[in-house]
Coordinates of all heavy atoms in Angstrom, one line a residue:
Chain B
S30 N -42.3 13.4 49.9 CA -43.2 12.2 50.0 C -43.2 11.6 48.6 O -42.9 12.1 47.6 CB -44.6 12.7 50.4 OG -45.1 13.6 49.4
G31 N -43.7 10.4 48.6 CA -43.9 9.7 47.4 C -42.6 8.9 47.0 O -41.6 9.2 47.3
L32 N -42.8 7.9 46.2 CA -41.7 7.2 45.6 C -41.2 7.8 44.3 O -41.9 8.4 43.5 CB -42.1 5.7 45.2 CG -42.7 4.8 46.4 CD1 -43.2 3.4 45.9 CD2 -41.7 4.7 47.4
P33 N -39.8 7.6 44.1 CA -39.3 8.3 42.8 C -39.7 7.4 41.6 O -39.9 6.2 41.7 CB -37.8 8.2 43.0 CG -37.6 7.0 44.0 CD -38.8 7.0 44.9
G34 N -39.8 8.2 40.5 CA -40.1 7.5 39.3 C -39.2 7.9 38.2 O -38.2 8.6 38.4
I35 N -39.6 7.5 37.0 CA -38.5 7.6 35.8 C -38.4 9.2 35.6 O -37.2 9.5 35.2 CB -39.2 6.9 34.6 CG1 -38.1 6.9 33.4 CG2 -40.5 7.6 34.0 CD1 -37.0 6.0 33.6
E36 N -39.3 10.0 35.9 CA -39.1 11.4 35.7 C -38.0 12.0 36.7 O -37.3 13.0 36.3 CB -40.4 12.2 35.7 CG -41.3 12.0 34.6 CD -40.7 12.1 33.2 OE1 -39.7 13.0 33.2 OE2 -41.0 11.5 32.2
D37 N -38.0 11.5 37.9 CA -37.0 11.9 38.8 C -35.7 11.5 38.3 O -34.7 12.3 38.7 CB -37.4 11.3 40.2 CG -38.8 11.7 40.8 OD1 -38.7 12.8 41.5 OD2 -39.6 10.9 40.5
I38 N -35.6 10.4 37.7 CA -34.2 9.9 37.3 C -33.9 10.8 36.0 O -32.8 11.1 36.0 CB -34.4 8.4 36.9 CG1 -34.7 7.6 38.2 CG2 -33.0 7.9 36.4 CD1 -35.0 6.2 38.0
R39 N -34.8 11.1 35.2 CA -34.4 11.9 34.1 C -33.9 13.3 34.6 O -33.0 13.9 34.0 CB -35.5 12.0 33.1 CG -35.8 10.8 32.4 CD -36.7 10.9 31.2 NE -37.1 9.7 30.5 CZ -38.2 9.1 30.3 NH1 -39.3 9.8 30.6 NH2 -38.4 8.0 29.6
S40 N -34.6 13.7 35.5 CA -34.2 15.1 36.1 C -32.9 15.0 36.8 O -32.0 15.9 36.6 CB -35.3 15.5 37.1 OG -34.9 16.6 37.9
A41 N -32.6 13.9 37.4 CA -31.3 13.8 38.0 C -30.2 13.7 37.0 O -29.1 14.2 37.2 CB -31.3 12.4 38.9
A42 N -30.4 13.1 35.9 CA -29.5 12.8 34.8 C -29.0 14.3 34.3 O -27.9 14.5 34.0 CB -30.0 12.1 33.7
Q43 N -30.0 15.2 34.1 CA -29.7 16.5 33.8 C -28.9 17.2 34.8 O -28.0 18.0 34.5 CB -31.0 17.3 33.6 CG -31.8 17.0 32.3 CD -32.9 17.9 32.0 OE1 -33.6 18.3 32.8 NE2 -33.0 18.2 30.8
Q44 N -29.2 17.0 36.1 CA -28.7 17.7 37.2 C -27.1 17.2 37.2 O -26.3 18.2 37.6 CB -29.3 17.2 38.5 CG -29.2 18.1 39.7 CD -30.0 19.4 39.6 OE1 -30.8 19.7 38.5 NE2 -29.9 20.4 40.5
I45 N -26.8 16.1 37.1 CA -25.4 15.5 37.2 C -24.6 15.6 36.0 O -23.4 15.3 36.0 CB -25.3 14.1 37.8 CG1 -25.8 13.0 36.8 CG2 -26.1 14.0 39.1 CD1 -25.6 11.6 37.3
S46 N -25.2 16.0 34.9 CA -24.5 16.0 33.6 C -23.3 17.0 33.6 O -23.5 18.1 34.1 CB -25.5 16.4 32.6 OG -24.7 16.6 31.2
G47 N -22.2 16.6 33.2 CA -21.1 17.4 33.2 C -20.2 17.4 34.5 O -19.2 17.9 34.7
Q48 N -20.9 16.8 35.6 CA -20.2 16.6 36.8 C -19.9 15.1 37.0 O -18.7 14.9 37.4 CB -21.2 17.1 38.0 CG -21.5 18.5 38.0 CD -20.4 19.3 38.2 OE1 -19.4 19.0 38.8 NE2 -20.5 20.7 37.9
A49 N -20.8 14.2 36.8 CA -20.4 12.9 36.9 C -19.9 12.3 35.7 O -20.1 12.8 34.5 CB -21.8 11.9 37.3
V50 N -19.0 11.2 35.9 CA -18.4 10.4 34.6 C -19.6 9.7 33.9 O -20.4 9.0 34.6 CB -17.3 9.6 35.0 CG1 -16.8 8.7 33.9 CG2 -16.3 10.3 35.6
R51 N -19.7 9.8 32.6 CA -20.6 9.0 32.0 C -19.9 7.6 31.7 O -19.1 7.6 30.7 CB -20.9 9.7 30.7 CG -22.4 9.4 30.0 CD -22.4 8.0 29.4 NE -23.6 7.8 28.7 CZ -24.0 6.5 28.3 NH1 -23.1 5.6 28.6 NH2 -25.0 6.4 27.6
T52 N -20.0 6.8 32.4 CA -19.2 5.4 32.4 C -19.7 4.6 31.2 O -20.8 4.6 30.9 CB -19.4 4.6 33.8 OG1 -20.7 4.5 34.0 CG2 -18.7 5.3 34.8
P53 N -18.7 3.8 30.5 CA -19.2 3.0 29.5 C -19.8 1.7 30.0 O -20.0 1.4 31.1 CB -17.8 2.7 28.8 CG -16.9 2.6 30.0 CD -17.4 3.7 30.9
L54 N -20.3 1.0 28.9 CA -20.7 -0.5 29.2 C -19.8 -1.4 28.5 O -19.6 -1.4 27.3 CB -22.1 -0.6 28.6 CG -23.1 -1.7 29.2 CD1 -23.3 -1.6 30.7 CD2 -24.4 -1.7 28.5
L55 N -19.0 -2.1 29.3 CA -18.0 -2.9 28.7 C -18.3 -4.4 28.5 O -19.3 -5.0 29.1 CB -16.7 -2.9 29.6 CG -16.1 -1.5 30.0 CD1 -15.0 -1.6 31.0 CD2 -15.6 -0.8 28.7
E56 N -17.6 -5.1 27.6 CA -17.8 -6.5 27.4 C -16.4 -7.1 27.4 O -15.5 -6.5 26.9 CB -18.6 -6.8 26.1 CG -19.2 -8.1 26.0 CD -20.1 -8.3 25.0 OE1 -20.4 -7.4 24.2 OE2 -20.6 -9.5 24.8
N57 N -16.4 -8.4 27.9 CA -15.1 -9.0 28.0 C -15.1 -10.5 27.6 O -15.8 -11.2 27.9 CB -14.5 -9.0 29.5 CG -13.1 -9.5 29.7 OD1 -12.9 -10.6 30.0 ND2 -12.2 -8.6 29.4
D58 N -14.1 -10.7 26.6 CA -14.1 -12.0 25.9 C -14.0 -13.1 27.0 O -14.6 -14.1 27.0 CB -13.0 -12.1 24.9 CG -13.3 -11.0 23.7 OD1 -14.4 -11.2 23.0 OD2 -12.6 -10.0 23.6
A59 N -13.0 -12.9 27.9 CA -12.6 -14.0 28.8 C -13.7 -14.3 29.7 O -14.0 -15.5 30.1 CB -11.4 -13.6 29.6
L60 N -14.4 -13.2 30.1 CA -15.7 -13.4 31.0 C -16.8 -14.1 30.3 O -17.4 -15.0 30.9 CB -16.1 -11.9 31.5 CG -17.3 -12.0 32.5 CD1 -17.0 -12.8 33.8 CD2 -17.8 -10.6 32.8
N61 N -17.1 -13.8 29.1 CA -18.2 -14.4 28.3 C -17.9 -15.9 28.2 O -18.8 -16.7 28.4 CB -18.4 -13.7 27.0 CG -19.1 -12.4 27.1 OD1 -19.6 -12.0 28.1 ND2 -19.1 -11.7 26.0
E62 N -16.7 -16.1 28.0 CA -16.2 -17.6 27.7 C -16.4 -18.3 29.1 O -17.0 -19.5 29.1 CB -14.8 -17.6 27.3 CG -14.5 -18.5 26.3 CD -13.1 -18.2 25.6 OE1 -13.0 -17.4 24.7 OE2 -12.1 -18.7 26.1
R63 N -15.9 -17.7 30.1 CA -16.0 -18.4 31.5 C -17.4 -18.7 31.9 O -17.7 -19.8 32.4 CB -15.3 -17.4 32.4 CG -15.6 -17.7 34.0 CD -14.7 -18.9 34.5 NE -15.1 -19.1 35.9 CZ -14.4 -18.7 36.9 NH1 -13.3 -18.1 36.8 NH2 -14.8 -19.1 38.2
V64 N -18.3 -17.9 31.7 CA -19.7 -18.0 32.1 C -20.7 -18.5 31.1 O -21.8 -18.9 31.5 CB -20.3 -16.7 32.9 CG1 -19.3 -16.2 33.9 CG2 -20.6 -15.7 31.9
G65 N -20.4 -18.5 29.8 CA -21.1 -19.2 28.9 C -22.3 -18.4 28.6 O -23.4 -18.8 28.2
G66 N -22.2 -17.0 28.7 CA -23.3 -16.1 28.3 C -22.7 -14.7 27.9 O -21.5 -14.6 27.9
R67 N -23.5 -13.7 27.6 CA -23.0 -12.4 27.4 C -23.1 -11.6 28.6 O -24.3 -11.4 29.2 CB -23.8 -11.7 26.2 CG -23.2 -12.2 24.9 CD -23.8 -11.3 23.7 NE -23.1 -10.1 23.6 CZ -23.2 -9.3 22.5 NH1 -24.1 -9.6 21.6 NH2 -22.4 -8.2 22.4
I68 N -22.1 -11.0 29.1 CA -22.1 -10.1 30.3 C -21.8 -8.6 29.8 O -20.7 -8.5 29.1 CB -21.1 -10.6 31.3 CG1 -21.3 -12.1 31.6 CG2 -21.3 -9.8 32.6 CD1 -22.5 -12.5 32.3
L69 N -22.5 -7.8 30.3 CA -22.3 -6.4 30.1 C -21.9 -5.7 31.5 O -22.7 -5.8 32.4 CB -23.4 -5.7 29.4 CG -23.7 -6.3 27.9 CD1 -25.0 -6.0 27.5 CD2 -22.6 -5.7 27.0
I70 N -20.7 -5.0 31.4 CA -20.2 -4.6 32.8 C -20.3 -3.1 32.8 O -19.8 -2.4 32.0 CB -18.8 -5.0 32.9 CG1 -18.7 -6.6 32.8 CG2 -18.2 -4.5 34.3 CD1 -17.5 -6.9 31.6
K71 N -20.9 -2.6 34.0 CA -21.1 -1.1 34.1 C -20.0 -0.8 35.2 O -20.1 -1.2 36.3 CB -22.4 -0.7 34.5 CG -22.6 0.8 34.7 CD -22.8 1.5 33.5 CE -23.3 3.0 33.7 NZ -23.1 3.7 32.4
P72 N -18.8 -0.3 34.8 CA -17.8 0.0 35.8 C -17.9 1.3 36.6 O -17.2 2.4 36.2 CB -16.5 -0.1 34.9 CG -17.0 0.5 33.6 CD -18.5 0.3 33.5
E73 N -18.6 1.3 37.6 CA -18.8 2.5 38.3 C -17.6 2.8 39.3 O -17.6 3.9 40.0 CB -20.1 2.5 39.0 CG -21.2 2.9 38.3 CD -21.3 4.4 37.9 OE1 -21.2 5.3 38.7 OE2 -21.4 4.6 36.7
C74 N -16.7 1.9 39.2 CA -15.3 2.3 40.1 C -14.7 3.3 39.2 O -13.8 4.1 39.8 CB -14.5 1.0 40.0 SG -14.4 0.1 38.5
L75 N -15.1 3.7 38.0 CA -14.5 4.8 37.2 C -15.2 6.1 37.5 O -14.9 7.1 37.0 CB -14.5 4.4 35.7 CG -13.8 3.2 35.2 CD1 -14.0 3.1 33.7 CD2 -12.4 3.3 35.7
Q76 N -16.2 6.1 38.4 CA -16.9 7.2 38.7 C -16.1 8.2 39.5 O -15.1 7.7 40.3 CB -18.2 6.9 39.4 CG -19.3 8.1 39.6 CD -19.5 8.8 38.4 OE1 -18.9 9.9 38.2 NE2 -20.4 8.3 37.5
R77 N -16.3 9.5 39.6 CA -15.6 10.4 40.5 C -15.7 9.9 41.9 O -16.8 9.4 42.4 CB -16.1 11.7 40.4 CG -15.7 12.4 39.1 CD -16.3 13.8 39.0 NE -15.5 14.8 39.6 CZ -15.7 16.1 39.3 NH1 -16.8 16.5 38.6 NH2 -14.9 17.0 39.8
T78 N -14.7 9.9 42.7 CA -14.6 9.3 44.0 C -14.5 7.8 44.1 O -14.5 7.2 45.1 CB -15.6 9.7 45.0 OG1 -16.9 9.1 44.6 CG2 -15.8 11.3 45.0
G79 N -14.4 7.2 42.9 CA -14.2 5.7 42.8 C -15.5 4.9 43.1 O -15.4 3.6 43.4
S80 N -16.7 5.5 43.2 CA -17.8 4.6 43.4 C -19.0 5.5 42.8 O -19.1 6.7 42.7 CB -18.1 4.2 44.8 OG -19.0 5.2 45.5
F81 N -20.2 4.7 42.5 CA -21.4 5.3 42.0 C -22.0 6.3 42.9 O -22.9 7.1 42.6 CB -22.5 4.2 41.8 CG -23.0 3.6 43.0 CD1 -24.2 4.2 43.5 CD2 -22.4 2.6 43.7 CE1 -24.7 3.7 44.8 CE2 -22.9 2.1 44.9 CZ -24.0 2.6 45.5
K82 N -21.6 6.5 44.2 CA -22.3 7.2 45.2 C -22.3 8.7 44.9 O -23.2 9.4 45.4 CB -21.7 7.0 46.6 CG -21.9 5.6 47.1 CD -23.3 5.5 47.8 CE -23.5 4.2 48.6 NZ -24.8 4.0 49.2
F83 N -21.4 9.2 44.1 CA -21.3 10.6 43.8 C -22.5 11.0 43.0 O -23.0 12.2 43.2 CB -20.0 10.8 42.9 CG -20.0 12.2 42.3 CD1 -19.7 13.3 43.2 CD2 -20.2 12.5 41.0 CE1 -19.7 14.6 42.8 CE2 -20.1 13.8 40.6 CZ -19.9 14.9 41.4
R84 N -23.1 10.1 42.2 CA -24.3 10.5 41.5 C -25.4 10.9 42.4 O -26.0 11.9 42.2 CB -24.8 9.3 40.6 CG -23.8 8.9 39.6 CD -24.4 7.6 38.9 NE -23.4 7.1 37.9 CZ -23.5 7.2 36.5 NH1 -24.5 7.8 36.1 NH2 -22.6 6.6 35.9
G85 N -25.9 10.1 43.3 CA -27.0 10.4 44.3 C -26.6 11.6 45.2 O -27.5 12.5 45.2
A86 N -25.4 11.6 45.6 CA -25.0 12.7 46.4 C -25.0 14.0 45.8 O -25.6 15.0 46.3 CB -23.5 12.5 47.0
Y87 N -24.6 14.1 44.5 CA -24.5 15.4 43.8 C -26.1 15.9 43.4 O -26.4 17.1 43.6 CB -23.8 15.4 42.6 CG -23.6 16.8 41.9 CD1 -22.5 17.5 42.4 CD2 -24.4 17.2 41.0 CE1 -22.4 18.8 41.8 CE2 -24.3 18.5 40.5 CZ -23.2 19.4 40.9 OH -23.1 20.6 40.5
N88 N -26.8 14.9 43.2 CA -28.3 15.1 42.9 C -28.9 15.7 44.1 O -29.6 16.7 44.0 CB -28.9 13.9 42.4 CG -30.4 14.2 41.8 OD1 -30.5 15.2 41.1 ND2 -31.3 13.5 42.3
R89 N -28.6 15.0 45.2 CA -29.3 15.6 46.6 C -28.8 16.9 46.9 O -29.6 17.8 47.2 CB -29.0 14.5 47.6 CG -29.5 14.9 49.1 CD -31.1 14.8 49.0 NE -31.7 15.4 50.1 CZ -32.0 16.7 50.3 NH1 -31.7 17.6 49.2 NH2 -32.6 17.1 51.3
L90 N -27.4 17.0 46.9 CA -26.9 18.3 47.5 C -27.3 19.5 46.6 O -27.5 20.6 47.1 CB -25.3 18.2 47.7 CG -25.0 17.8 49.0 CD1 -25.5 16.4 49.3 CD2 -23.4 17.9 49.2
S91 N -27.2 19.2 45.2 CA -27.5 20.4 44.4 C -28.9 20.9 44.5 O -29.3 21.9 43.8 CB -27.2 20.0 42.9 OG -28.0 18.9 42.5
R92 N -29.8 20.1 45.1 CA -31.3 20.7 45.3 C -31.4 21.5 46.6 O -32.4 22.0 46.9 CB -32.2 19.4 45.5 CG -31.9 18.4 44.4 CD -32.6 18.8 43.1 NE -32.4 17.6 42.1 CZ -33.0 17.5 40.9 NH1 -34.0 18.3 40.6 NH2 -32.7 16.5 40.1
I93 N -30.2 21.5 47.5 CA -30.4 22.4 48.7 C -30.4 23.9 48.3 O -29.5 24.3 47.3 CB -29.2 22.0 49.7 CG1 -29.3 20.6 50.1 CG2 -29.1 23.0 50.7 CD1 -28.2 20.1 50.8
D94 N -31.3 24.7 48.8 CA -31.3 26.2 48.5 C -30.0 26.8 48.7 O -29.3 26.5 49.7 CB -32.4 26.8 49.4 CG -33.7 26.7 48.9 OD1 -33.9 26.2 47.7 OD2 -34.6 27.0 49.6
E95 N -29.6 27.6 47.8 CA -28.2 28.4 47.8 C -28.2 29.1 49.3 O -27.1 29.0 49.9 CB -28.3 29.5 46.8 CG -28.2 28.9 45.4 CD -26.9 29.1 44.7 OE1 -25.9 29.6 45.3 OE2 -26.9 28.7 43.5
A96 N -29.2 29.6 49.8 CA -29.3 30.3 51.1 C -28.9 29.3 52.3 O -28.4 29.8 53.3 CB -30.6 31.0 51.3
D97 N -29.2 28.1 52.1 CA -28.9 27.2 53.2 C -27.6 26.4 53.1 O -27.2 25.6 54.0 CB -30.1 26.1 53.3 CG -31.4 26.8 53.7 OD1 -31.3 27.8 54.5 OD2 -32.4 26.3 53.3
R98 N -26.9 26.6 52.0 CA -25.7 25.8 51.8 C -24.6 26.1 52.8 O -23.9 25.2 53.0 CB -25.2 26.1 50.4 CG -26.1 25.4 49.3 CD -25.6 25.4 47.9 NE -26.6 24.8 47.0 CZ -26.5 24.8 45.7 NH1 -25.6 25.3 45.1 NH2 -27.4 24.3 44.9
H99 N -24.5 27.3 53.2 CA -23.4 27.6 54.2 C -23.5 26.7 55.4 O -22.5 26.6 56.2 CB -23.3 29.1 54.5 CG -24.6 29.4 55.4 ND1 -25.7 29.9 54.9 CD2 -24.6 29.6 56.8 CE1 -26.5 30.1 55.9 NE2 -25.9 30.1 57.0

Side-chain angles (χ1 to χ4, degrees):
Chain B
S30 66
L32 301 177
I35 189 74
E36 288 311 325
D37 296 276
I38 299 174
R39 289 192 182 127
S40 164
Q43 289 189 314
Q44 202 79 1
I45 69 170
S46 170
Q48 295 293 343
V50 173
R51 208 291 188 190
T52 53
L54 202 58
L55 303 172
E56 196 170 355
N57 184 267
D58 298 295
L60 178 60
N61 285 351
E62 222 164 274
R63 161 82 182 259
V64 306
R67 277 191 85 168
I68 311 290
L69 295 160
I70 306 129
K71 183 75 167 170
E73 279 294 303
C74 47
L75 301 181
Q76 190 50 262
R77 284 176 93 168
T78 71
S80 94
F81 71 95
K82 291 281 191 182
F83 174 71
R84 295 177 186 258
Y87 191 86
N88 189 43
R89 178 70 191 86
L90 267 63
S91 64
R92 312 279 179 166
I93 295 171
D94 276 350
E95 298 250 5
D97 291 329
R98 289 193 182 165
H99 70 278

